[in-house]
């Protein structure tokens, strides 16, 4: 049984004037007109949302979590303000790029029939032990785990009930340890913070509307407690984002 379900994505930015138009176009989202602090980019459902949180600190290290984006061309992303870091090759079928603030992401060029309005393909997490992290998040989200043993790549598929609003949550090995706060993270809805802690999460901070936690490798995520199924009134709208 899943301990939580995916809620939405959050991205730390310094300059909304540059990042909002870029990620709106790159992901096929639209800006929520009645929300400015933080800015919210909306998609087909609430789970497709991207919250842009303005932070004072600049990006100084490689993103530990990054987005993979479907696109009609690398040139289209460059026209929006992205730069190419590592071009695609025959062996590596994707282009490593940077957004207008230097945040790494990967671009996958698709034929028109494979493109949809929503362009987020995958979310990728750098790990010391990707197998352990995939199994942990698989248990938390109640999703099946797949792997490529040759490359030590692991992933969670969206599942038949579309538990993720993108194709896969991917865990890959890297030699360097995590340093600094991730500039990309995801939020979850959960019936129990205590169950997440019992499974191996660590509470970092209690906020009025959510709890900031860390997974077993220290990646921060935020958990929003869902009301009991029979509770009257339901949960109110999200007030803000960490």
């Amino acid at each position: 049984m899943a301990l939580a379900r995916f809620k939405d994505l959050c991205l730390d930015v310094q300059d909304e004037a540059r990042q909002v138009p870029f990620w709106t176009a790159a992901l096929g989202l639209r800006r929520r007109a009645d929300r400015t602090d933080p800015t919210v980019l909306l998609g087909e459902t609430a789970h497709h949302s991207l919250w842009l949180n303005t932070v004072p600190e600049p990006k100084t290290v490689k993103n530990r979590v990054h987005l993979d984006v479907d696109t009609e061309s690398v040139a289209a992303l460059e026209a929006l303000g992205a730069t190419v870091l590592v071009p695609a090759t025959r062996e590596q079928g994707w282009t490593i790029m940077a957004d207008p603030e230097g945040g790494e992401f990967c671009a996958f060029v698709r034929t028109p029939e494979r493109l949809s309005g929503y362009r987020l393909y995958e979310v990728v997490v750098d790990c010391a032990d990707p197998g352990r992290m995939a199994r942990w998040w698989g248990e938390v989200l109640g999703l099946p785990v797949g792997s490529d043993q040759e490359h030590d790549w692991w992933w969670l598929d969206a599942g038949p009930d579309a538990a993720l609003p993108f194709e896969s949550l991917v865990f890959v090995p890297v030699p360097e340890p995590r340093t600094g706060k991730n500039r990309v993270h995801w939020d979850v809805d959960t019936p129990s913070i205590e169950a997440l802690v019992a499974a191996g999460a660590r509470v970092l901070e209690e906020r009025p509307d959510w709890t900031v936690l860390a997974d077993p490798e220290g990646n921060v995520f935020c958990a929003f407690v869902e009301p009991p199924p029979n509770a009257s009134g339901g949960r109110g709208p999200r007030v803000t984002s960490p």
Side-chain angles (χ1 to χ4, degrees):
M1 178 180 176
L3 304 180
R5 62 189 180 90
F6 180 90
K7 182 178 177 63
D8 49 33
L9 283 170
C10 299
L11 171 66
D12 288 353
V13 302
Q14 274 199 297
D15 186 352
E16 284 195 358
R18 300 174 70 198
Q19 292 286 70
V20 168
F22 174 79
W23 284 109
T24 299
L27 294 181
L29 301 174
R30 66 186 187 280
R31 184 170 185 169
R32 180 173 162 181
D34 64 341
R35 185 87 200 205
T36 59
D37 183 23
T39 294
V40 188
L41 306 184
L42 301 175
E44 180 181 347
T45 73
H47 301 302
H48 293 78
S49 299
L50 178 66
W51 293 69
L52 301 182
N53 304 315
T54 302
V55 297
E57 64 274 6
K59 177 186 177 296
T60 57
V61 297
K62 176 192 173 193
N63 282 344
R64 195 77 174 179
V65 179
H66 74 264
L67 308 183
D68 287 350
V69 177
D70 288 335
T71 184
E72 61 270 23
S73 70
V74 169
L77 293 170
E78 289 181 299
L80 295 173
T83 55
V84 173
L85 300 179
V86 182
T89 65
R90 181 175 298 179
E91 294 74 25
Q92 176 183 291
W94 59 90
T95 301
I96 302 174
M97 306 190 74
D99 70 18
E101 288 190 349
E104 297 88 357
F105 70 98
C106 293
F108 289 74
V109 176
R110 307 298 192 191
T111 56
E113 60 270 18
R114 289 197 60 186
L115 286 172
S116 64
Y118 184 56
R119 301 293 181 91
L120 181 57
Y121 169 43
E122 298 174 327
V123 175
V124 182
V125 186
D126 290 352
C127 304
D129 187 342
R132 177 192 181 207
M133 293 307 301
R135 289 188 292 270
W136 191 83
W137 277 105
E139 177 186 352
V140 167
L141 297 175
L143 292 173
V145 177
S147 66
D148 176 341
Q149 299 291 334
E150 179 183 356
H151 298 94
D152 198 22
W153 294 343
W154 297 71
W155 60 84
L156 307 182
D157 288 324
D161 58 351
L164 299 173
F166 42 86
E167 187 167 310
S168 305
L169 181 58
V170 183
F171 302 86
V172 298
V174 295
E176 68 275 6
R178 189 179 72 86
T179 58
K181 175 182 175 232
N182 292 345
R183 294 180 79 83
V184 179
H185 76 268
W186 57 87
D187 298 334
V188 300
D189 285 318
T190 182
S192 171
I193 299 296
E194 292 75 16
L196 292 172
V197 172
R202 177 166 50 95
V203 173
L204 300 180
E205 185 179 354
E206 295 280 358
R207 299 281 188 92
D209 299 306
W210 65 85
T211 301
V212 184
L213 300 110
D215 70 16
E217 285 201 1
N219 298 300
V220 173
F221 66 100
C222 296
F224 293 72
V225 176
E226 299 174 304
N230 297 324
S232 62
R235 187 181 65 182
R238 177 174 179 168
V239 176
T240 187
S241 173

